[in-house]
Every structure is written in C-alpha cells, then in structure tokens.
Amino acid sequence: MRAIVVKSWLKSPSDMEVRDVPAPIPTEGELLVRIDSAGANFFDILMVQGKYQFKPPFPFTPGAEFSGTVVRVAGSVNSTQFKVGDRIFGSNPTGAYAEYIAVPALQCFHIPSTLSFEQAAGLYITYPTSYAALVLRAQVMPGEWVLVHAAAGGVGIAAVQIAKALGARVIAAVGSASKFDVCWAQGADHCINYREPDWTNKVLDLTDGMGANVVFDPVGLVEKSLKCVAWNGRVVVVGFAAGSIEKISANRILLKNVAVTGVHWGAYVLNEPERIPEVWDALFKMAEERKINPVVYTPVYHGLESAKDALKAIANRETYGKVVVKPSVLSSKL
Ligand SMILES: NC(=O)c1ccc[n+]([C@@H]2O[C@H](COP(=O)([O-])OP(=O)(O)OC[C@H]3O[C@@H](n4cnc5c(N)ncnc54)[C@H](OP(=O)(O)O)[C@@H]3O)[C@@H](O)[C@H]2O)c1
C-alpha cells in the first residue's frame, strides 16, 4: 500500500514523502480499515517536525483521524459490533495518511447513516470536545448567549452547531469577515471579528449590555472575554490556537461571579471513562436528527501527495471546518 512515511524530523510538512510499504496486519482486537478519508489536524504539522508532545518512533505514518471500510476483523472482535464492509470512523495516534490502517476496534465507531465518509473523518476529536465543553463543563441552557471563538475552525463549528441544537443563542467570533458566511450557515445569530479592537463592546451591545453567559475559547482569549461575560458566566478553556498560554487577572473572575473551567476530552478515557458513551450517544442522536452536520473544507485533498497542501492551508489559517485528505485507494492491493 501507499503511505506517508516519516524517517527523521522534517523541516516542514512539505518535505513529507509517500512510499510503498507493506499493509499493516491487524492483531487481536483490531480492525483493518481501507481508509476513505483522513482528517487533517494542526498537530500533524508539529508531529512531523518533532515539536508535538507525542513523538512516535521512526519510521511512522502521521495522521490521527480517519473514516473508511472494514476489510478484516482480527481475533475476538465481537462480530455483532463490527464486520467486514462496515462504514466506520476512528482515531489512532498515527497511521491515517495511508491507504490502510490497523486499529483497535475500541477506537472506532459506525458512521451515522446521515453522514458521508468525508464528514465522519473529522468527527472523532472535535465534536465530543465541543459537546463536553458546552454540556459537561459549561452546562449551557436554552436561551443563553454562547460566545464561540474561532467559530469557523474544527472545534468552533462543532460548538456553534451543538450550542444551537441545545437552544442557545450564538455569537460566532472569527479572525476575518471572510469566515462569516460559514458561521451564518451553521445557524450563528451574530458574527464578529475578534481582530477588531472593539469586539468585546460588540458582544455587550449584542447581549443588551449583559454579556455572554458562556464563552467557548480554543484560541487564548480568556482575559479579553472576561470584559464581556455575564454575571454567573462560564468560560471554557479549550485550546491555545493563538500560540501562547494566558495569565488571567483573578479579580475579573471574582467581579462577575465567573467560573473559568477547562476541557481535556482526550483525558476522559483515563479519568472519567463512563462519560464517553454518554457524550457519543448524545452526538449520534443529534446527527440522526440532523441537528449537527460536520462541515468539510473545500477543496477536499485527493491523493496522499496532497496532504502537504492540506497542512499548508491549515498553517496559513485559510481553512474552515475539517480539512480532509483522500488517499485514493482504488488501484491499490493489500
Ligand atoms: N481541549 C481539548 O480536548 C481539545 C480538543 C481538540 C482541539 N483542541 C484545541 O483547540 C484548538 C483549535 O483546534 P481546531 O481543531 O478547531 O483547529 P483549527 O480547525 O485549525 O482552527 C483553529 C482556528 O484558530 C484560529 N486562530 C486564532 N489565532 C490563531 C493563530 N495565531 N494561528 C492559527 N490559528 C489561529 C483560526 O481561526 P480564525 O482565522 O477565525 O482566527 C483557526 O482557524 C487547538 O489549540 C487544539 O489543540 C483542544
């Protein structure tokens, strides 16, 4: 099969090379999946450069999210759970920029009937993160104002859709007006540009001076957001896309009775595994009821050689929703 193979740390993803390698052999409890679509992430860029917290041993194939078709079931995977031909999506620390992946069945789910392979490829990380942030951490209530930062990004779009599905009112904040249309299409009630200096006043105006009840922050805008948060507001720290970790003035938290909280979805598996099925059941129900509808950035990138272009677009902050690479396996044999 063909796969991107990294044999030493790269200067940039544009140095990634596609090679012919043996297809992985699934071991006990694993599925062999023919990958239809791989979800691209900013951390892929860091990983191939050796700058990510997780440094896989060489050689490795980057890529952490995928969707595809089960072609082999190994050992004692419950046959009522997965069988050859099933449409599934899943995640693994590495291996998704390839034509096939062998992955533990525990890290896979069936694709809801309402979603395409492309949509499912980017579901695994973003949607449960945003659901956990808004429901488990912020406990968003119908009618509340939710301010979503980086609202056109992967977790941001998911947060807009989930907040609307929960009956909240959404202010979508993005870094350029060119991303407003994407946010309107997800049901945002208002769009603002957080590169404009007076954006916190805009939030206050839009909420009749009250401020946002909930702030969803994957960027690193907590300090500024505290200027436009409501009494009893909840601010959820989701990430640091702007690149630095903030120091927060505690007096602002006190003044408005604010709760600043965090979400680390990947750590639920160690700390609160019982919440994981609860989150996925809620998301699958929302998908079946078409209350959430993952957004795929266009163009979709065809061929593993185009993964470098996909990652370049993410690095340049050009993208919205999830960026998808299709390995195109039509001519490939195991
Ligand atoms: N806590 C968790 O469990 C969890 C789970 C998943 C992801 N995350 C984190 O959440 C953050 C967003 O992830 P994502 O998948 O939504 O990423 P993404 O799709 O790449 O979106 C990130 C967005 O951040 C905005 N941004 C603001 N300042 C930026 C800067 N200086 N450089 C680059 N982008 C900037 C950009 O939107 P604008 O152009 O509109 O500003 C960009 O599109 C990341 O930090 C990620 O690590 C956390």
Side-chain angles (χ1 to χ4, degrees), residues 29 60 146 198 208 233 255 315 320:
F60 71 90
V146 178
D198 66 338
D208 295 327
L255 286 171
Y320 54 81

Side-chain angles (χ1 to χ4, degrees), residues 40-43 52 65 125-126 128-130 149-157 173-176 179 193-195 216-221 237-244 262-268 314-323:
N41 285 290
F42 187 85
F43 62 74
Y52 191 54
E65 289 183 282
I125 298 173
T126 52
T129 298
S130 301
H149 289 310
V155 290
I157 279 192
V174 288
S176 99
K179 295 186 179 179
N193 182 344
Y194 50 41
R195 292 210 219 197
F216 176 95
D217 182 18
V219 176
L221 290 169
V237 177
V238 182
F240 311 99
S244 58
V263 68
H264 185 180
W265 175 245
Y268 271 76
I314 291 177
N316 290 343
R317 214 166 153 177
E318 292 163 12
T319 65
Y320 54 81
K322 283 298 295 192
V323 176

Side-chain angles (χ1 to χ4, degrees), residues 5 41 73 110 141 225 281 283:
V5 179
N41 285 290
V73 177
H110 290 102
M141 300 302 291
S225 301
D281 287 351
L283 288 170

Side-chain angles (χ1 to χ4, degrees), residues 51-65:
K51 295 179 181 170
Y52 191 54
Q53 61 222 33
F54 170 57
K55 295 179 179 55
F58 300 121
F60 71 90
T61 292
E65 289 183 282

Side-chain angles (χ1 to χ4, degrees), residues 129-305:
T129 298
S130 301
Y131 185 92
L134 295 175
V135 178
L136 305 187
R137 308 304 289 144
Q139 296 169 351
V140 169
M141 300 302 291
E144 286 194 312
W145 282 106
V146 178
L147 170 62
V148 177
H149 289 310
V155 290
I157 279 192
V160 172
Q161 292 182 357
I162 293 165
K164 290 304 296 180
L166 296 170
R169 294 177 285 178
V170 171
I171 300 172
V174 288
S176 99
S178 64
K179 295 186 179 179
F180 284 3
D181 283 348
V182 177
C183 301
W184 293 128
Q186 310 319 312
D189 296 276
H190 299 283
C191 294
I192 61 169
N193 182 344
Y194 50 41
R195 292 210 219 197
E196 289 176 1
D198 66 338
W199 66 265
T200 55
N201 287 329
K202 282 194 178 154
V203 173
L204 289 170
D205 288 346
L206 291 168
T207 55
D208 295 327
M210 184 185 77
N213 304 102
V214 171
V215 179
F216 176 95
D217 182 18
V219 176
L221 290 169
V222 173
E223 181 77 30
K224 285 186 182 154
S225 301
L226 288 170
K227 293 181 181 172
C228 60
V229 72
W231 173 255
N232 279 338
R234 289 88 76 204
V235 179
V236 192
V237 177
V238 182
F240 311 99
S244 58
I245 295 173
E246 289 178 276
K247 302 267 185 292
I248 313 297
S249 309
N251 61 320
R252 289 190 188 280
I253 299 172
L254 176 152
L255 286 171
K256 290 189 193 161
N257 240 20
V258 173
V260 178
T261 181
V263 68
H264 185 180
W265 175 245
Y268 271 76
V269 70
L270 287 177
N271 298 299
E272 247 182 302
E274 65 279 12
R275 307 307 292 267
I276 296 173
E278 172 191 330
V279 168
W280 279 112
D281 287 351
L283 288 170
F284 289 141
K285 187 165 182 285
M286 284 181 177
E288 296 295 351
E289 291 171 352
R290 297 182 192 275
K291 288 183 176 164
I292 57 171
N293 192 25
V295 175
V296 176
Y297 175 69
T298 50
V300 167
Y301 293 87
H302 288 268
L304 289 168
E305 286 79 4

